[in-house]
Amino acid sequence: SQQGEEDPQALSIQEGENATMNCSYKTSINNLQWYRQNSGRGLVHLILIRSNEREKHSGRLRVTLDTSKKSSSLLITASRAADTASYFCATDAASGGSYIPTFGRGTSLIVHP
Amino acid sequence: DTAVSQTPKYLVTQMGNDKSIKCEQNLGHDTMYWYKQDSKKFLKIMFSYNNKELIINETVPNRFSPKSPDKAHLNLHINSLELGDSAVYFCASSQLAGGEGALHFGNGTRLTVT
């Protein structure tokens, strides 16, 4: 079953603006990851945040995690046209005694130059 | 020096045929995965192998059979292809199992069944 749900489904902004994407999940997690997917390519790992962490930064990326609300957000500051891609969150959902990275449908981000 | 490579990139075939997709990773990872991405971009886990052994087999029809000859390879064979099998299939690998580590994805195989 689907674990993570990204919101919004689509986001269109101007270059230089900030982009915020949200992810909600249903069951408890050990960690949550964010990935980027450019058109026609595979997913690329951006950042992993553990359940005992509240915030993490990587360059222009800022990820927050609120386990009480079962939600995470990805903030891209000072966006660039090259940030245009789909962004996915993945949680380590339990499946048959093992944990597997489970993805949502992603947020499609378009950054206009 | 591609980390995770899949072949072919595109696969067009008719219903009822049998086809295979190959995947190789040169990262030395123990865990490999197959995901299916539908037209709405929903990415669904199909299989997961750890050190050549199947650890996850989601609700996938028996027509799909993964094969791992060694821990660097995880191939996907599909029998009796159906229209609904049309999708993009992604292979991935990770150093750690259980969702602990980052996944490294191939660039996908776009399968079109006519």
Side-chain angles (χ1 to χ4, degrees):
Chain A
S1 62
Q2 190 176 340
Q3 165 76 319
E5 282 279 0
E6 292 89 349
D7 171 64
Q9 287 191 6
L11 184 58
S12 181
I13 60 174
Q14 293 295 127
E15 209 167 27
E17 294 179 341
N18 294 341
T20 299
M21 288 155 271
N22 302 298
C23 170
S24 59
Y25 56 92
K26 299 172 185 173
T27 61
S28 61
I29 60 172
N30 295 311
N31 67 65
L32 184 144
Q33 303 180 46
W34 283 93
Y35 288 79
R36 182 187 75 233
Q37 183 181 31
N38 289 90
S39 180
R41 305 297 296 268
L43 279 73
V44 174
H45 181 259
L46 295 176
I47 201 163
L48 181 151
I49 186 165
R50 300 200 180 281
S51 60
N52 61 353
E53 297 176 309
R54 290 296 167 261
E55 189 170 311
K56 209 162 182 180
H57 296 255
S58 176
R60 293 184 296 113
L61 306 180
R62 173 177 168 247
V63 169
T64 62
L65 178 64
D66 187 336
T67 53
S68 66
K69 295 181 180 177
K70 291 188 171 59
S71 69
S72 173
S73 68
L74 169 67
L75 168 67
I76 304 174
T77 60
S79 64
R80 304 167 183 168
D83 294 328
T84 294
S86 292
Y87 291 83
F88 293 81
C89 68
T91 56
D92 56 342
S95 175
S98 298
Y99 288 89
I100 55 170
T102 304
F103 293 82
R105 294 183 187 278
T107 292
S108 177
L109 173 66
I110 297 176
V111 181
H112 299 280
Chain B
D1 60 345
T2 305
V4 181
S5 59
Q6 298 177 226
T7 54
K9 186 171 176 62
Y10 300 98
L11 187 52
V12 181
T13 188
Q14 290 184 328
M15 284 175 56
N17 285 349
D18 303 339
K19 290 293 178 185
S20 292
I21 306 172
K22 295 186 176 181
C23 178
E24 176 181 4
Q25 55 95 4
N26 62 5
L27 296 166
H29 290 167
D30 284 340
T31 307
M32 295 185 73
Y33 311 81
W34 276 108
Y35 282 87
K36 176 181 180 181
Q37 187 172 46
D38 63 21
S39 58
K40 295 183 179 179
K41 293 198 171 180
F42 178 41
L43 202 63
K44 183 176 178 179
I45 182 72
M46 299 175 70
F47 302 101
S48 176
Y49 269 70
N50 183 255
N51 209 6
K52 300 195 303 176
E53 289 190 13
L54 180 67
I55 56 172
I56 297 288
N57 180 357
E58 290 293 293
T59 51
V60 177
N62 291 338
R63 299 181 295 103
F64 291 80
S65 54
K67 286 187 171 48
S68 182
D70 54 63
K71 72 175 193 176
H73 295 83
L74 181 61
N75 304 322
L76 184 65
H77 189 75
I78 316 170
N79 290 327
S80 304
L81 278 155
E82 300 177 356
L83 292 177
D85 297 332
S86 295
V88 182
Y89 292 83
F90 285 97
C91 176
S93 71
S94 65
Q95 187 172 15
L96 301 173
E100 278 292 316
L103 268 64
H104 296 255
F105 282 81
N107 281 325
T109 295
R110 181 173 293 276
L111 171 65
T112 303
V113 182
T114 62

